[in-house]
Amino acid sequence: RHQIDEVRGAVNTTVMATESGAKAVDAGARQFSEVASAFKQIASMVVMATDAAREIELSTKQQASAAEQVRVAVGDVAQATRETEASSSQTLQTASQLAGLSLELRRMIQAQNN
């Protein structure tokens, strides 16, 4: 009887240890599932961050291209301004020469009429 009680006690201890182990395994499985879910979320966020970085890179390239186009356009406007200034200067010089010739012609006409 004493041995049976000892065996029962050992069996009960074994059952309790087995139940405790099963609970630990269940808790571990839940934790693993939570960790796996967290990794999936992290992977999803990495994909989103990578996509955002690509969009930023594309936008930066487009802005650089637009800035280059603006730089070229400003250069063209500056060149056109210089050409207009040179043309205006030449026109002023020609107008001055014409005014001088006009005065000379007027003097010649007045001299002939007198």
Side-chain angles (χ1 to χ4, degrees):
R1 180 170 200 104
H2 179 51
Q3 286 180 341
I4 291 175
D5 287 340
E6 284 182 12
V7 170
R8 278 187 191 161
V11 167
N12 284 340
T13 302
T14 303
V15 168
M16 287 172 47
T18 302
E19 286 177 2
S20 178
K23 287 179 184 176
V25 168
D26 286 343
R30 279 193 304 275
Q31 288 176 345
F32 179 78
S33 177
E34 290 172 3
V35 169
S37 176
F39 277 130
K40 285 180 184 178
Q41 288 178 340
I42 290 169
S44 175
M45 289 179 190
V46 167
V47 168
M48 287 172 42
T50 301
D51 289 345
R54 286 185 184 136
E55 288 178 24
I56 290 169
E57 177 187 17
L58 178 61
S59 177
T60 301
K61 286 180 180 178
Q62 289 172 343
Q63 289 175 357
S65 176
E68 177 62 18
Q69 290 174 353
V70 168
R71 187 193 65 76
V72 169
V74 167
D76 290 347
V77 168
Q79 179 63 31
T81 301
R82 285 190 293 274
E83 290 172 2
T84 300
E85 180 183 8
S87 176
S88 294
S89 178
Q90 192 174 27
T91 301
L92 179 62
Q93 186 180 15
T94 302
S96 178
Q97 288 173 350
L98 285 175
L101 289 174
S102 175
L103 283 175
E104 189 178 326
L105 185 59
R106 179 181 282 166
R107 282 186 207 141
M108 289 170 68
I109 291 173
Q110 285 177 352
Q112 254 186 353
N113 286 338
N114 288 336

